[in-house]
Amino acid sequence: MDNVTDAVITLNDRGIIETSNRAAERIFGLPTDAIIGLPLTSLISEADDRPRKRKLMGRRGDGSVVFLEAALSEVTENSRTVIVAALRDITERMVAALALAQAKEDAENANQAKSEFISHMSHELRTPLNAVIGMADVLLQLKDMRDDPERLTEYLNDIRTSGAHLLSLVNEIL
């Protein structure tokens, strides 16, 4: 049992640890003689309940947390029931899953910030561009107010063309 990579412990019918292997020492950071005699609840607490397979949170001797997956089975030994628990350290998997969830949340927040930025920029750019184009349209219709009609028309057409082109580019980008 000491060569198995998963922790293997046996419990009596009251939940007291009777035996443990070296992997249990490594997982819990305690020597075997400190583990034997403890109630299982002093080392682990349930995090997820599923029949015959459970996700647990364990506490190491130094107080740090370890995530465990446990497979439990009952065995009859010398006319008494013994529970055999195989515990696998899944801390790295859980940390990776938590990091992935955090990365997903960060990406969603970044996407929301991008959407808000685009919305604000759209308003900030389109409003003055529409005003420039609208004013150019109005000035193009007021022929009697121009001193140099050809030149003014040329400038107003440049303003209108440039504004329309810029608005088209902004629309494509957004």
Side-chain angles (χ1 to χ4, degrees), residues 111-139:
N111 189 47
Q112 177 66 28
K114 177 197 66 137
S115 295
E116 289 177 16
F117 170 78
I118 287 173
S119 174
H120 288 110
M121 289 308 298
S122 171
H123 174 75
E124 294 299 321
L125 292 172
R126 289 179 184 181
T127 301
L129 285 174
N130 282 323
V132 167
I133 292 168
M135 280 304 261
D137 285 341
V138 168
L139 290 174

Side-chain angles (χ1 to χ4, degrees), residues 30-57:
L30 294 170
T32 298
D33 60 346
I35 294 173
I36 294 174
L38 290 176
L40 183 61
T41 56
S42 68
L43 296 176
I44 61 173
S45 61
E46 301 219 16
D48 175 31
D49 231 352
R50 287 181 282 162
R52 291 292 208 228
K53 202 146 202 168
R54 292 177 169 84
K55 288 205 170 125
L56 309 167
M57 283 185 26

Side-chain angles (χ1 to χ4, degrees), residues 1 4 6-13 15-21 40 44 52-54 56 69-77 80-87:
M1 293 303 281
V4 176
D6 292 343
V8 178
I9 59 175
T10 58
L11 311 164
N12 64 20
D13 59 355
I16 304 299
I17 300 170
E18 293 183 339
T19 65
S20 68
N21 65 351
L40 183 61
I44 61 173
R52 291 292 208 228
K53 202 146 202 168
R54 292 177 169 84
L56 309 167
E69 187 173 76
L72 305 173
S73 58
E74 289 183 10
V75 177
T76 302
E77 178 183 90
R80 70 183 189 106
T81 300
V82 177
I83 299 169
V84 178
L87 305 169

